Structures are given as C-alpha cells and as structure tokens.
Amino acid sequence: GNSVTQMEGPVTLSEEAFLTINCTYTATGYPSLFWYVQYPGEGLQLLLKATKADDKGSNKGFEATYRKETTSFHLEKGSVQVSDSAVYFCALRGNYGQNFVFGPGTRLSVLP
Amino acid sequence: EAGVAQSPRYKIIEKRQSVAFWCNPISGHATLYWYQQILGQGPKLLIQFQNNGVVDDSQLPKDRFSAERLKGVDSTLKIQPAKLEDSAVYLCASSLVSAGLNYNEQFFGPGTRLTVL
C-alpha cells in the first residue's frame, strides 16, 4: 500500500538558518503530494501541495518539488523564523481516489 | 468563515468506559473525516462521510468504534468500550467534496485529546 517516510525529529535550528525536511513516498501511479503544518494547540493546516511530477508547491517561503525519479517531496525554506516552530507532516493521496496517508511528522524548533 | 469545531478538547476516562466526540464541519462541506493521531505518528483515517453516507470505513475498528453523521452535517464518533491503546488525538476534518480524482483541501479541527487510564 501507499506509505510516507519523513526524517525523524526534532529538528532544532537558529533563526535565519536553512531548513530541509526530507520526505519520500511509496505509491503506485501518480499520487498528489502535500505538506501540512500543525502549530502548537492548533489543527493541521495545508502548507503546500503538488499534483504532478516536477511541480513545485510553495507558500509562506516554503517550497517542495515533486520528484518522481527519487519519489521525494522534500520541504525547504531559505530562512526560518521562530514562528515556523511547529510539526510538519508530509502526506500523499493516491491518484485512484484513495484517501490521505500521512507521514509521522517532524517537529521543528527555531531558536531566536 | 468559522472553522471545524470539535468538542470536548480533552477527555480522560478509564478503560472499558465509553466516550463520544462531536464535530461540526465548515458550513457547506459535504465530506467529513475522522482521523486518529497517536502520539508520534501521523493521522490515520478512521472513517469518511460524503453527506450522511459512509465512503470509507476500512480502518475503523468496528467492534468498538462507531460514527454517524445524521442529516449530513454534525458527526459523532463513539468508542465503547475504550482500551488503553485508544489514547490519541481524534481529529475531524471537512472538505467541499472528495470524489474520484478531484481534490479539495481538507480543513482540520483542533482535535480531541483522549487519555484512557
């Protein structure tokens, strides 16, 4: 079945550092890929998405590129802020209408 | 626009007791989801409703979990009897539609944290 693997956290960075959170997936066909973010005490929010190979999703300075050849969707941000501290979830949705499969989440802490 | 509402936010019960969670989706959203999120893991879909019909409940432990969405709006998720391993955050989400290859963003509620002692 479909699955998502993320780098383990927690990830601790200083403000303005470069962020990469790795995500790889296993799925048949051409799934859609997503990053969700969960801020402390809040529900999950969609951060960005990509629906086909080579698409780049971007939002709030975050980017991720759908790489079918490496089955990856790594999340990057050039300069993190303290307000980016949250848990980040990589997820996929199969292209046969299957429901979402989420990765385990990566906790990011950004120190001032 | 009001978001997805859930209650209660926290619940502590003893094993073998029963518990119910309530979800009010965003107005006009036909699709409603219940997820279980165990500490350190990503959300796992328990059940998906389209209006008041069940679309997918393949991962719902039907011997103890039940859910309903009367009138296609609010939904309740019940656990009876609870086990220690049911300790988790239960998330409700809603979207406009989720049919076939079409994707509509899921909006999540804040969740209900259940502790089973």
Side-chain angles (χ1 to χ4, degrees), chain B residues 38-99:
Chain B
I38 293 173
L39 185 65
Q41 300 180 20
K44 183 185 82 172
L45 180 71
L46 292 176
I47 188 167
Q48 176 188 347
F49 292 94
Q50 185 87 0
N51 296 308
N52 62 348
V54 175
V55 174
D56 183 354
D57 64 356
S58 56
Q59 298 192 93
L60 186 73
K62 298 180 185 66
D63 58 333
R64 298 184 300 106
F65 286 65
S66 64
E68 61 182 10
R69 192 184 183 198
L70 299 176
K71 301 180 182 178
V73 182
D74 293 6
S75 177
T76 56
L77 176 70
K78 297 179 181 178
I79 307 175
Q80 182 179 12
K83 294 185 175 181
L84 296 177
E85 59 261 34
D86 298 332
S87 294
V89 175
Y90 291 85
L91 298 168
C92 180
S94 70
S95 66
L96 282 169
V97 290
S98 180

Side-chain angles (χ1 to χ4, degrees), chain A residues 32 34 36 38 41-47 49 51 87 89 93-105 107, chain B residues 9 33 35 37 40-45 48 55-56 89 91 98-111:
Chain A
S32 295
F34 308 86
Y36 277 80
Q38 188 172 32
E42 299 183 15
L44 276 76
Q45 303 172 25
L46 178 65
L47 181 59
K49 67 179 182 183
T51 57
V87 182
F89 294 90
R93 184 171 189 256
N95 66 332
Y96 299 109
Q98 299 101 317
N99 279 302
F100 279 78
V101 174
F102 285 85
R107 182 175 299 277
Chain B
R9 292 295 307 275
Y33 311 79
Y35 289 87
Q37 186 180 11
Q41 300 180 20
K44 183 185 82 172
L45 180 71
Q48 176 188 347
V55 174
D56 183 354
V89 175
L91 298 168
S98 180
L101 300 180
N102 294 318
Y103 167 71
N104 280 278
E105 180 180 348
Q106 293 188 29
F107 294 84
F108 284 82

Side-chain angles (χ1 to χ4, degrees), chain A residues 46-78:
Chain A
L46 178 65
L47 181 59
L48 54 84
K49 67 179 182 183
T51 57
K52 60 183 186 296
D54 299 325
D55 268 3
K56 178 185 285 187
S58 61
N59 186 24
K60 300 182 180 180
F62 291 88
E63 293 183 340
T65 300
Y66 188 148
R67 301 287 188 200
K68 186 159 179 63
E69 64 275 15
T70 54
T71 62
S72 65
F73 193 56
H74 304 322
L75 183 67
E76 297 182 336
K77 187 175 186 182

Side-chain angles (χ1 to χ4, degrees), chain B residues 10-24:
Chain B
Y10 304 91
K11 189 73 177 179
I12 301 174
I13 61 173
E14 296 188 349
K15 60 183 178 184
R16 291 187 290 274
Q17 287 186 322
S18 62
V19 64
F21 312 127
W22 174 82
C23 173
N24 181 237

Side-chain angles (χ1 to χ4, degrees), chain A residues 77-93:
Chain A
K77 187 175 186 182
S79 176
V80 294
Q81 306 300 312
V82 172
S83 57
D84 294 326
S85 297
V87 182
Y88 292 82
F89 294 90
C90 186
L92 71 78
R93 184 171 189 256

